Amino acid sequence: MRHLLSTADLDRDSAVALLDTAEEMARTQSREIRKLPTLRGRTVVNLFFEDSTRTRISFEAAAKRLSADVINFAAKGSSVSKGESLKDTAQTLQAMGADAVVIRHSASGAPHRLAHSGWIDVPVVNAGDGTHQHPTQALLDAYTLRRHLSAPGGDSRGRDLEGLSVVVVGDVLHSRVARSNVDLLTTLGARVTLVAPPTLVPVGVHTWPAQVRYDLDAAIAEGPDAVMMLRVQRERMSSAGGGYFPSPLEYHRQYGLTGTRLAALPDHAIVMHPGPMNRGLEISAEAADSPRSTVVEQVANGVSVRMAVLYHLLAGAPAPTPTTQGTP
Ligand code: CP
């Protein structure tokens, strides 16, 4: 694996291998000394053109726990505001010694451009691009699902998600999390059902390997193993609801995970959300804070999964050859 740009690029074996490595990484994190020497001397650049809490901080934690140096770049306050291009920004960071670039960008395809343009020559990890893909989010979701499939204290290494039923609910139109999860979870053998108002279903969704429904209560009545609530992305809509739904209250009534719907889920089913949550809109506080909610666990799992991704991309790669360029 040279880059991680999309979960559509992962076959079953490579996805399971990443999840297995994440389990090994998680095991190291319960030790007294959590830091591993694996990436000592390497530099990971976090290049964030869009806001983030979980992804940026967990990539930083993951890189540091592997002993890499980390450069955090946020577009706000940088020369991007003076008009500097993605190409010039990336080349500047590589000149400073980046061995891998983790990029979040509002433009779908920006990580692909960075990886394949020849501008830079290091592994690129997509940390979320526009409405396209968020592969490490899907990996941490698959990891969370896999752990909940295993017996308590059991070992889930080598397992896929064969036969699992996952209902993904809400703003599918704007969701890179939904796209990444549909690709990855189906590759791992799960059945994915998308539930959304017709206005928040993307054109071409019939080509996705997922069933589409409009009635959340009917989908819950079928007894899924997990419901994954999607954030309503108001920043990608022109106004609060952007005309996509009549009102926040109406959206919550039709598509929110209310206490009543929570109670209708099978006892073993888990409640997932990638965060950040709009409490009272796509998810009630009762559901978000319930014992079956994995929201906080998903964040913790994100560190192990991102350690695994950096390990797969960098640990086997040769250290870059020192050049005289840029030396004093
Ligand atoms: N789930 C997720 O990507 O969260 P952040 O936007 O906080 O990184």
Side-chain angles (χ1 to χ4, degrees):
M1 188 167 78
R2 169 70 173 149
H3 307 286
L4 180 61
L5 303 175
S6 166
T7 49
D9 299 335
L10 295 174
D11 60 20
R12 182 198 169 279
D13 286 349
S14 48
V16 168
L18 278 167
L19 299 180
D20 286 350
T21 305
E23 291 223 12
E24 299 295 340
M25 294 298 176
R27 246 181 271 280
T28 68
Q29 297 309 293
S30 54
R31 294 182 193 156
E32 196 179 336
I33 297 171
R34 292 188 292 178
K35 207 159 177 154
L36 305 174
T38 318
L39 298 184
R40 190 178 288 151
R42 303 297 183 91
T43 300
V44 174
V45 171
N46 283 329
L47 192 53
F48 277 65
F49 292 85
E50 242 191 9
D51 294 342
S52 168
T53 299
R54 280 149 283 271
T55 311
R56 187 180 58 74
I57 292 173
S58 66
F59 265 114
E60 181 174 356
K64 285 181 172 169
R65 287 182 196 174
L66 292 170
S67 300
D69 295 318
V70 179
I71 297 173
N72 285 315
F73 171 96
K76 276 179 202 155
S78 76
S79 287
V80 169
S81 58
K82 300 175 199 162
E84 188 161 38
S85 67
L86 175 61
K87 174 182 175 180
D88 291 336
T89 303
Q91 287 182 331
T92 300
L93 292 167
Q94 185 166 359
M96 290 178 188
D99 294 304
V101 173
V102 176
I103 177 172
R104 170 168 288 193
H105 204 288
S106 58
S108 298
H112 188 274
R113 183 95 175 110
L114 201 56
H116 297 296
S117 60
W119 297 337
I120 60 171
D121 185 27
V122 296
V124 174
V125 184
N126 182 358
D129 62 328
T131 59
H132 177 223
Q133 279 274 330
H134 193 350
T136 56
Q137 178 68 47
L139 282 163
L140 76 88
D141 291 337
Y143 179 89
T144 303
L145 282 161
R146 199 170 81 146
R147 289 202 119 182
H148 278 268
L149 277 178
S150 305
D155 190 344
S156 61
R157 279 177 298 183
R159 288 195 65 161
D160 58 20
L161 303 178
E162 196 61 46
L164 201 70
S165 163
V166 181
V167 174
V168 178
V169 188
D171 184 359
V172 179
L173 179 65
H174 300 108
S175 180
R176 52 200 180 203
V177 174
R179 284 165 180 76
S180 294
N181 266 299
V182 167
D183 289 333
L184 182 65
L185 300 187
T186 55
T187 293
L188 290 170
R191 277 179 292 115
V192 178
T193 303
L194 299 168
V195 181
T199 48
L200 289 173
V201 173
V203 173
V205 76
H206 61 277
T207 64
W208 300 14
Q211 190 189 12
V212 180
R213 306 185 67 152
Y214 304 104
D215 184 338
L216 178 54
D217 293 308
I220 285 178
E222 290 185 356
D225 299 294
V227 284
M228 185 182 294
M229 306 308 296
L230 300 173
R231 183 171 67 85
V232 174
Q233 299 196 29
R234 286 183 278 201
E235 77 278 18
R236 300 192 204 273
M237 302 175 182
S238 50
S239 59
Y244 290 100
F245 46 85
S247 70
L249 184 62
E250 183 62 17
Y251 182 91
H252 185 66
R253 270 201 208 112
Q254 295 288 328
Y255 293 100
L257 190 59
T258 59
T260 307
R261 291 189 176 116
L262 179 71
L265 286 168
D267 289 344
H268 73 278
I270 59 171
V271 171
M272 307 178 77
H273 192 301
M277 294 184 279
N278 294 307
R279 286 171 181 256
L281 186 55
E282 70 265 5
I283 190 165
S284 64
E286 187 181 347
D289 299 330
S290 79
R292 60 174 61 191
S293 164
T294 59
V295 175
V296 176
E297 188 185 328
Q298 285 168 262
V299 175
N301 291 342
V303 177
S304 306
V305 162
R306 288 171 178 128
M307 287 173 79
V309 167
L310 293 174
Y311 174 81
H312 276 247
L313 289 173
L314 281 173
T321 318
T323 66
T324 50
Q325 192 184 11
T327 48

